[in-house]
Amino acid sequence: MELMPELPDLEVFAANLTRKLSGKSLSDLKISERTSLNVSVGTLQKALLKQKLTRVYREGKELRFVFSNDAILGIHLMLHGKMTWENRDDQPVKNPLVRFSFSNGLVLTVTDIMNAVTVTLNPEKSEAPDALSVTITPSWWKKNLAASGAQIKSLLLNQKFIRGIGNAYADEILWTAGISPFSSAREIPPDKVRKLSSAVKQVLRAAVRMIKKSAPGIIGGELRDFMSVHNAHRETDPKGHYIRNSALGGRKTYYTDQQVLYK
C-alpha cells in the first residue's frame, strides 16, 4: 500500500512542529547535494540562518516553515520522505537530505531513500484550492465536476484541480459519499455531488482528530489502521460489505459494490 503523507498526516505534523519549534532560531542548516532545491544552498542558508521559526503550516501536500523575516520554506515529502527528531548528542541519522538545528537543541532531519523530497524557498501560490478551503462548496463541486470528463477518483488526486487529497483518502471520501471511484465526474447527480462535498471535509477532519488522538506527537509515518475501506487488514467495510481492490492509474483502489457507478 502507498504510504505517502496526505492532508490529515501533514496537518498533525505541522501542529506538532509548531509546538516544538515556534520562537526557536535556526542555528545550523545542512543540505545534501542530493536534495532538490529551487535556489542554491548558499542562498537558502543566507535566507534562513539565525532566523526564528514562527510557525509551520500545511499547504496542499506540502509543509511550509515560516520564519521571522517572512521567508517561507516549503517541503514536499513525496512518497518516501520522512522527518525525525534527533538530539545533538544522538548518533546522527544516516544520509539525511536536510538537517535543521535549532536553538533549543532539537535537530530535525529529513530523509528519503529515493531522494525525491523537494525543498523550495518562497514557493509560488497555487491556483488550485486546498481541500479544506472555505471556497470548496457544493456549488464549486457542481460547477467543476460538470466541466470534467475525468473519472472522479483521478480528479480528486489531481493537485491542479484540488490540493491535499491522496490515494488513501480519495477512497475513504468516495466510500463515504457512496460513489464508485470509476464514475465519470460529470455524470454524478446533484444529490451525490452534495454528499461528496460534505464527505471531503468530514473524512479529512475526522482523520486529523484520529491521528492526533492515536499519535499526539507524530511528525513522520502514516496511520491508516482506522480507515474503513483503504485498509489492507480489512475484508469488509464497517457495514459488512466486501471490500474490493483494483488498480486505477497505477494506484491500488479500495471500494465496495455498494458505491454507485455513474457513467
Side-chain angles (χ1 to χ4, degrees):
M1 185 187 300
E2 295 179 8
L3 291 179
M4 177 185 290
E6 298 187 30
L7 186 156
D9 306 300
L10 296 170
E11 279 281 316
V12 180
F13 295 174
N16 289 335
L17 289 166
T18 297
R19 186 166 56 252
K20 285 271 194 179
L21 298 175
S22 179
K24 306 302 185 294
S25 298
L26 184 63
S27 56
D28 193 25
L29 175 61
K30 290 185 170 60
I31 304 168
S32 166
E33 62 183 11
R34 296 174 286 116
T35 307
S36 176
L37 300 171
N38 71 327
V39 295
S40 70
V41 172
T43 298
L44 196 63
Q45 291 174 327
K46 183 177 180 180
L48 303 182
L49 282 175
K50 310 306 178 184
Q51 299 297 321
K52 288 184 178 180
L53 184 73
T54 58
R55 68 185 180 105
V56 182
Y57 69 97
R58 178 198 59 79
E59 184 75 22
K61 288 186 176 181
E62 290 188 9
L63 291 173
R64 301 283 173 87
F65 293 70
V66 184
F67 289 85
S68 52
N69 61 348
D70 295 327
I72 299 176
L73 186 69
I75 297 181
H76 196 311
L77 294 172
M78 305 302 286
L79 185 58
H80 298 289
K82 303 289 183 184
M83 295 186 300
T84 56
W85 295 118
E86 57 176 300
N87 293 316
R88 288 177 176 169
D89 295 332
D90 290 345
Q91 186 71 21
V93 174
K94 291 183 179 179
N95 302 316
L97 290 179
V98 187
R99 177 180 276 119
F100 303 91
S101 298
F102 289 90
S103 57
N104 61 349
L106 282 176
V107 179
L108 177 67
T109 60
V110 181
T111 61
D112 182 2
I113 59 173
M114 301 301 292
N115 298 328
V117 164
T118 62
V119 178
T120 307
L121 180 63
N122 298 322
E124 295 181 2
K125 184 175 178 60
S126 173
E127 294 183 1
D130 187 86
L132 290 182
S133 170
V134 295
T135 64
I136 301 295
T137 63
S139 296
W140 183 92
W141 283 106
K142 180 180 179 180
K143 175 184 176 181
N144 288 282
L145 294 188
S148 175
Q151 287 185 328
I152 185 59
K153 181 173 178 182
S154 298
L155 200 59
L156 291 180
L157 297 178
N158 184 348
Q159 300 302 299
K160 294 182 179 179
F161 175 76
I162 186 170
R163 291 177 297 123
I165 301 172
N167 193 43
Y169 286 100
D171 286 348
E172 295 294 297
I173 287 165
L174 291 171
W175 175 81
T176 300
I179 299 170
S180 168
F182 309 103
S183 294
S184 171
R186 63 161 62 111
E187 299 301 327
I188 299 172
D191 63 323
K192 282 292 189 177
V193 172
R194 289 191 294 271
K195 286 187 177 180
L196 176 63
S197 177
S198 175
V200 169
K201 293 180 179 179
Q202 174 189 333
V203 167
L204 296 175
R205 287 170 175 162
V208 171
R209 293 193 296 270
M210 183 64 71
I211 295 168
K212 284 183 176 179
K213 180 179 179 180
S214 301
I218 191 172
I219 63 164
E222 303 81 19
L223 297 180
R224 299 288 186 264
D225 288 346
F226 60 86
M227 289 190 157
S228 297
V229 288
H230 194 99
N231 191 330
H233 304 296
R234 299 189 68 127
E235 293 185 355
T236 60
D237 70 7
K239 300 175 183 178
H241 302 133
Y242 179 72
I243 298 173
R244 300 185 181 277
N245 69 79
S246 61
L248 178 62
R251 300 176 177 90
K252 185 168 284 190
T253 293
Y254 292 80
Y255 61 100
T256 71
D257 290 338
Q258 285 64 42
Q259 293 171 238
V260 181
L261 176 64
Y262 300 99
K263 60 180 182 178

